[in-house]
Amino acid sequence: MRTAFLATAALALIGAGVVAPAQAAKERVRIVASLPNLGSIAREIGGDRVEVMTIALGVQDAHFVDPKPSYIVRLRAANLLLVNGLDLEVGWIPPLVQGARTARLMPGGLSYVDCSTGIQVLEVPSSLSRSEGDVHPYGNPHYLADPINAESVAGTIADALKRVDPDDAEKYEARRRNWVGRLHTAMFGAELVGLVGGAKLAREAAAGNLDLLLDGTRMGGQPLRSRLGGWLGAMQPYRGRPIVTYHRDFSYFAARFGLRIVAHLEPKPGIPPAPKHLEEITALLKTGAARVIVTRPYVEHRSTDLVASRTGATVLTQPQEAGGAPGTDDYLALIDHMTRAIAQALRETGTPPPIGAPTPTAGG
């Protein structure tokens, strides 16, 4: 009688919301991402199974973020810490991790996820010297400016989620495949993906063989290149076009889309341009070497504005992290914003590629 009474009472409490039922919703995986792009991809892979907190803002310089004590509190409760790696966050992630005093958040720990794993890194220095400026010893860390690298990052994040939450591994893998499919369609266009397959196109692009595939394979009497759409298709008319950038953070974008970076406003990474260097850039642009200067939201604009006023060049301010400009709330929207804006600037300035200029290719 007592057992029956207790069972009835328990059911009544459950119905009233006082006692959680045995099949209560499982706690979500808590993720702390250093940068908005990583947080965006993690949300896509994790869906409603994850709770994502991003430290840096899309309008901030990822090299310099204030390691606030409140971040340490969030880190201690995190199941995963996603970092860009390649020493991009070297000034602020290590203090936060040390402050959290949690072994699993240390490099090599269960919860520490270096998203640069598997990336084909550009601009790895052959030697290190402080005289060369703020050189990254492991290479250029701005790899997510190339959308092909985002597929690798999605795989790294999915693997980490499967490791800490194996019960939902199939869900994470399904969401990863879905998101990568959307990435392929955005990159190559739906028609070409339907004909060749997004996975093969991405593999050939990563290996530097995409041009060979597009020009060497014919379908319906036309080379496959005639079916190219998406971001690559939109940027195709501007292959070989020269640009100037402020920092060395557009190298991956330029390599993937076939642009040529002919100069940087920073004479060396992290070193502001001196008057003599600005004079050299001005003289270069007056020869017609480039008509577009690409810069970032958070760097000083006096230098770019000065050069533009003297040469008539167009200054294009572009974010490299989700949320860095209106309409860039997620990673795919960010890349769409970047390709549209840069293509428009190159179209409007009408800069022809120099005769005989080589076209760079990423990963090949």
Side-chain angles (χ1 to χ4, degrees):
M1 176 70 73
R2 178 178 175 80
T3 301
F5 172 78
L6 291 175
T8 302
L11 288 172
L13 290 172
I14 289 171
V18 178
V19 177
Q23 299 294 324
K26 190 167 66 170
E27 186 176 0
R28 293 191 292 177
V29 177
R30 294 180 297 274
I31 298 175
V32 172
S34 63
L35 304 180
N37 286 345
L38 302 180
S40 171
I41 298 173
R43 290 186 185 94
E44 295 288 351
I45 306 303
D48 60 6
R49 285 292 305 119
V50 301
E51 175 186 307
V52 181
M53 177 263 185
T54 300
I55 296 177
L57 300 176
V59 295
Q60 284 184 289
D61 187 344
H63 297 85
F64 307 105
V65 175
D66 183 18
K68 299 177 182 179
S70 59
Y71 300 150
I72 295 176
V73 177
R74 298 296 295 268
L75 269 178
R76 286 174 179 159
N79 302 109
L80 291 174
L81 167 62
L82 310 181
V83 301
N84 182 90
L86 301 178
D87 268 7
L88 179 65
E89 310 106 325
V90 68
W92 50 281
I93 282 294
L96 291 175
V97 169
Q98 292 164 9
R101 297 182 180 180
T102 305
R104 58 186 170 78
L105 294 172
M106 298 288 184
L110 177 68
S111 298
Y112 186 92
V113 183
D114 184 342
C115 292
S116 69
T117 302
I119 297 295
Q120 298 182 53
V121 181
L122 302 180
E123 299 173 0
V124 179
S126 57
S127 62
L128 299 176
S129 171
R130 293 306 301 172
S131 65
E132 295 302 313
D134 187 15
V135 177
H136 290 283
Y138 304 111
N140 192 316
H142 304 286
Y143 52 84
L144 276 175
D146 176 0
I148 293 297
N149 288 333
E151 181 172 352
S152 174
V153 172
T156 297
I157 294 174
D159 288 344
L161 283 167
K162 295 173 193 176
R163 185 172 66 247
V164 299
D165 183 20
D167 291 345
D168 285 315
E170 292 184 4
K171 292 181 181 178
Y172 298 133
E173 181 57 26
R175 291 188 65 88
R176 183 201 68 81
R177 287 196 301 268
N178 178 272
W179 187 79
V180 168
R182 290 164 52 203
L183 173 67
H184 290 162
T185 299
M187 185 71 179
F188 306 107
E191 183 181 10
L192 189 60
V193 167
L195 291 171
V196 180
K200 180 174 182 178
L201 291 167
R203 284 196 305 271
E204 296 298 321
N209 298 326
L210 185 61
D211 285 340
L212 182 62
L213 174 68
L214 296 180
D215 295 327
T217 306
R218 302 181 73 83
M219 187 169 292
Q222 296 292 325
L224 277 180
R225 186 176 295 278
S226 66
R227 310 296 183 92
L228 179 64
W231 298 324
L232 274 176
M235 291 295 296
Q236 188 171 224
Y238 313 106
R239 285 164 58 90
R241 294 289 181 90
I243 62 171
V244 171
T245 69
Y246 189 96
H247 184 64
R248 298 179 185 272
D249 49 2
F250 279 89
S251 299
Y252 289 90
F253 184 93
R256 179 56 59 205
F257 292 103
L259 304 180
R260 297 188 311 113
I261 299 175
V262 297
H264 303 281
L265 265 292
E266 285 182 334
K268 295 177 181 179
I271 297 178
K276 181 179 179 181
H277 183 66
L278 292 179
E279 291 175 4
E280 293 172 350
I281 297 292
T282 298
L284 176 67
L285 266 61
K286 282 184 176 180
T287 68
R291 300 293 295 166
V292 174
I293 303 172
V294 184
T295 187
R296 302 170 292 167
Y298 41 79
V299 300
E300 55 89 14
H301 284 198
R302 295 185 304 275
S303 301
T304 51
D305 290 346
L306 176 64
V307 172
S309 69
R310 292 176 174 176
T311 64
T314 295
V315 177
L316 186 62
T317 301
Q318 283 297 293
Q320 283 213 347
E321 292 289 335
T328 63
D329 293 337
D330 61 70
Y331 176 78
L332 296 184
L334 171 73
I335 300 299
D336 192 67
H337 180 279
M338 290 173 63
T339 53
R340 288 175 182 271
I342 292 175
Q344 179 179 346
L346 292 170
R347 180 172 61 253
E348 291 177 350
T349 56
T351 309
I355 297 174
T359 300
T361 56

